[in-house]
Amino acid sequence: MQGRRLAIILTPHGALSNYVFSKKPIQKYLYWNIIDQWIFRALDCIVCNTPIEKQQIEQRLKKINCHVVPLEIYSENQKVVKILDNHNLNSIPILCTVGRYDIVIKGLDIIIQAVVALNRGGTQVKLRCIGYDRGGGVAALQKLVDDLDARDYVDCTGPKYGEEKDQLISESDIFCMPSRYESFSYSLMEGLASGLPVLVGSGACVTSYLNAEQKKLLVVEPAIEEWIKAIQNVLTDRESNRNCAGKAFAELQVKCSRSNVGDALRSIYRNLILK
């Protein structure tokens, strides 16, 4: 499969998530109650990437001037590639995740437990985790896999890039992002553009751009039982999910096009200058 290049232009601010410094309460307190308040008081406005991030910011900073401008997405291949056409549907289905090995934030514990439960319940699936280490992530993830006796079901590939990563994704059956929190995700854009069925955790901020039908088919709450049910539903009817994911990506391409992003930023900057 030919690789696709996605160029992303970042806007100034992400989400003030509950998962920032989730394992370091002192740093979280200092960041939320001292650093961010001090910095934001000096700002004329904040530009964030998704509606849910704007909502989170406005809940913490009542009088802040906040706008939503999505990241710019550019894809060299405008057509979503149907990579499942030649896939052996009689083989054990492979679920694929892409992202750093952060068990809590990325929800890897949820999907691994769901995969274990599916196999023990008679539904064979395997999980492929493409990602990288940060602060001992590989060792922690491998320990979780061992503790759950899931070695037969989970393959942690480590970091993969370019065509090698595209190939691993194309050989999979469902693209999964079980994150408890995820800002405007490059990896999710890859998944939606891949032609695979897609399941994404409700903590991913990009889901706030999806319509009701897309949320129903693509978005999963952060619970083992919900992921089991969602995976089973996709395995029963892959085409509905895959078509829905393709339409969602096409709509995001328009919403996140260079012209729309540029117009939104130009309007914000003009208003600030004229104030």
Side-chain angles (χ1 to χ4, degrees), residues 80 82 192 196 218 241-251:
V80 175
K82 300 295 185 180
L192 291 170
L196 291 172
L218 307 181
N241 182 294
R242 186 167 67 169
N243 289 337
C244 185
K247 289 177 183 177
F249 180 68
E251 291 171 9

Side-chain angles (χ1 to χ4, degrees), residues 1 9 16 64 107-108 168 227 263:
M1 184 180 73
I9 297 178
L16 295 173
I64 197 72
L108 295 174
L168 287 174
W227 274 91
D263 287 345

